[in-house]
Amino acid sequence: MTKKILLYGINFSPELTGIGKYTGEMAAWLAARGHQVRVVTAPPYYPDWKVGAGFKNGYTVIASEARQSTKSGSLVVYRCPLWVPPQPGGIKRLLHLASFALTSLPVMLRQIIWRPDVVWVVEPALFCAPAAVVVARLSGARAWLHVQDFEVDAAFDLGLLRGKFLRGLVTGAERWLMRRFDVVSTISKRMHQRLLDKGVAPARALMAVNWVDLAGFKAEGRGDPGGSGYRAELGIAPDAVVALYSGNMGGKQGLELLAEVAKVIAARAPLPQNTPVGGPPSGRLVFVFCGNGAGRADLVQRCQGLGNVQFLDLQPAARLPDLLAMADIHLLPQRADAADLVMPSKLTGMLASARPVVATAHPGTELAHVVQACGVVVPPEDPQAFADALLLLAADPDLRQRLGAAGFLYAQAHLDKEAVLARFEADLQGLFGR
């Protein structure tokens, strides 16, 4: 049975990374299944922290995306203005999130007349949760909160916010809000347990993992299985070993580690003096850092003078499989104090590309549990251990092949887009049988 579904969140398509990517894909999938979908969101700004070209920072319903009609479903997207700080920090980030919650409130209240069946809101930003609950209750809809990041815990653990009293106040409000929802879902087992620890009733706590479109990531028969197009564009020899980081360059990633690792590798195997920056010799370990975000400028600065590092902007979604196929090894740094507060969304594509992963995580965390079967897990903030793992994989193509194949099988079994979204739709329909 088709439903009226109201999606509410600050990030949405055409953003290429993180929450915007997944919410955009979910909205399009639900509309294609025949549901009537409305989205209240902001203009795209992430991860560059500036409003995207072709979008204005105001109230809009863009014609090209306002009515993407399918055979029976529809998708309408409402954009609301917000304040976008060029350099987000603690209080600036709070004001940024609050600005969207404020400007989107009248648009959300208008949806009461539409009478949605489900109001689905994503965290971040928790600032949006109160409006979602109000609209759901006044329209007779079910209320669903989906937690991509535990932003409150992360803000304090990462030092963006401080103070014992403030933390108690904010976490208390978070727990109260979560209990107002009919369903609270999240993306990993450890994050699911955290929901229970925050007082969400087990019957209302669900798993709704992030997905990957495996159609573009075939283990055999890919049009560009080795990413040769990207290697040619970057001047990288076909037999060079490429270590790739691709994704948002923000605060939770601990990207400064990548610069330290590149320095360690360069010191062990220095490039010949005449080697150009854009053309490492064959057989060498080459780093490619692809992405945008608030932390990119600092990473570029830290890599100054390193001939084994190249930078790329975020690439179009259509080229993502070829970009990830260029890698021989994927890099997944993560700050220790972000463990189990977030599950890196970029991991899904890494696994689907059938390439091994080197990740930083403490034993016992969910990230460590997933990666240890398809890559190498090293302690956070330890460039020497990270470099050792890279050199181990770089010297053993058979090991890389085995670990990469294991990652693809995991993605096939747990992360396939059609299967994950079909389970989500079934859970959504199950709301009305309760």
Side-chain angles (χ1 to χ4, degrees):
M1 182 182 299
T2 61
K3 300 294 181 183
K4 292 181 178 181
I5 304 170
L6 177 60
L7 305 180
Y8 185 27
I10 195 171
N11 300 106
F12 191 68
S13 175
E15 292 178 353
L16 296 172
T17 64
I19 294 171
K21 172 184 180 294
Y22 288 107
T23 306
E25 290 180 4
M26 182 175 72
W29 189 90
L30 290 169
R33 293 281 292 178
H35 300 283
Q36 297 179 54
V37 182
R38 290 189 178 185
V39 182
V40 177
T41 187
Y45 70 91
Y46 185 81
D48 294 319
W49 289 90
K50 62 181 179 180
V51 174
F55 291 84
K56 71 175 185 178
N57 196 3
Y59 290 102
T60 58
V61 182
I62 300 175
S64 63
E65 62 175 4
R67 302 199 179 276
Q68 299 178 17
S69 298
T70 61
K71 292 180 180 178
S72 55
S74 64
L75 173 58
V76 179
V77 181
Y78 299 88
R79 302 273 185 184
C80 305
L82 78 170
W83 178 59
V84 183
Q87 293 294 328
I91 191 65
K92 289 182 180 179
R93 190 180 293 266
L94 289 178
L95 293 173
H96 156 73
L97 298 174
S99 72
F100 172 71
L102 182 63
T103 64
S104 61
L105 179 59
V107 179
M108 283 294 293
L109 293 176
R110 283 177 54 196
Q111 307 311 312
I112 297 171
I113 302 171
W114 184 54
R115 297 189 65 81
D117 297 303
V118 178
V119 178
W120 181 97
V121 61
V122 61
E123 177 190 355
L126 195 64
F127 276 114
C128 296
V133 171
V134 169
V135 171
R137 295 296 171 253
L138 294 179
S139 60
R142 304 296 197 272
W144 185 317
L145 172 65
H146 180 61
V147 181
Q148 285 276 5
D149 290 357
F150 283 104
E151 62 176 325
V152 171
D153 293 342
F156 284 98
D157 290 350
L158 296 173
L160 299 176
L161 296 175
R162 293 181 174 86
K164 185 176 180 180
F165 174 77
L166 180 61
R167 182 164 192 165
L169 185 67
V170 175
T171 54
E174 178 194 42
R175 292 167 66 94
W176 182 87
L177 269 173
M178 284 183 170
R179 291 196 294 270
R180 310 277 80 78
F181 284 86
D182 299 292
V183 169
V184 184
S185 61
T186 193
I187 60 175
S188 75
K189 293 179 181 177
R190 293 299 179 87
M191 293 173 74
H192 181 269
Q193 180 59 51
R194 191 173 287 255
L195 290 181
L196 302 181
D197 295 341
K198 288 178 178 290
V200 178
R204 297 187 178 197
L206 295 181
M207 282 273 292
V209 301
N210 288 331
W211 58 84
V212 62
D213 188 355
L214 288 175
F217 292 91
K218 296 180 180 177
E220 301 293 340
R222 281 189 41 75
D224 190 9
S228 58
Y230 272 104
R231 286 178 180 247
E233 291 174 26
L234 296 173
I236 297 174
D239 61 344
V241 176
V242 176
L244 173 69
Y245 173 85
S246 178
N248 172 45
M249 294 182 173
K252 295 190 294 290
Q253 284 74 31
L255 296 179
E256 61 277 2
L257 176 71
L258 297 181
E260 296 304 314
V261 172
K263 290 176 183 176
V264 170
I265 299 293
R268 290 190 183 184
L271 297 175
Q273 288 185 350
N274 295 328
T275 300
V277 172
S282 62
R284 295 287 186 179
L285 181 59
V286 180
F287 293 87
V288 177
F289 300 151
C290 175
N292 300 89
R296 173 165 169 153
D298 179 68
L299 182 60
V300 171
Q301 179 63 36
R302 290 172 182 268
C303 293
Q304 286 292 325
L306 291 175
N308 59 346
V309 175
Q310 296 196 52
F311 282 85
L312 272 177
D313 287 334
L314 277 176
Q315 298 296 291
R319 297 196 69 190
L320 181 62
D322 292 335
L323 172 71
L324 298 183
M326 173 181 66
D328 295 288
I329 306 165
H330 288 299
L331 310 177
L332 187 52
Q334 188 86 342
R335 285 180 55 172
D337 42 13
D340 290 335
L341 300 177
V342 297
M343 189 67 174
S345 59
K346 60 181 72 69
L347 179 60
T348 59
M350 294 177 178
L351 300 181
S353 71
R355 303 294 193 269
V357 180
V358 178
T360 61
H362 286 304
T365 60
E366 186 149 3
L367 179 59
H369 174 73
V370 173
V371 172
Q372 65 189 2
C374 53
V376 181
V377 180
V378 299
E381 301 163 18
D382 188 340
Q384 195 67 53
F386 204 114
D388 290 341
L390 274 178
L391 292 172
L392 170 70
L393 291 173
D396 195 338
D398 290 336
L399 177 60
R400 295 202 304 268
Q401 193 279 329
R402 290 197 302 272
L403 292 174
F408 181 83
L409 290 175
Y410 181 92
Q412 200 171 41
H414 302 286
L415 306 175
D416 179 61
K417 177 181 177 181
E418 289 300 315
V420 170
L421 287 176
R423 287 197 297 271
F424 167 75
E425 185 184 38
D427 288 334
L428 186 148
Q429 297 286 7
L431 276 173
F432 299 90
R434 296 187 177 188

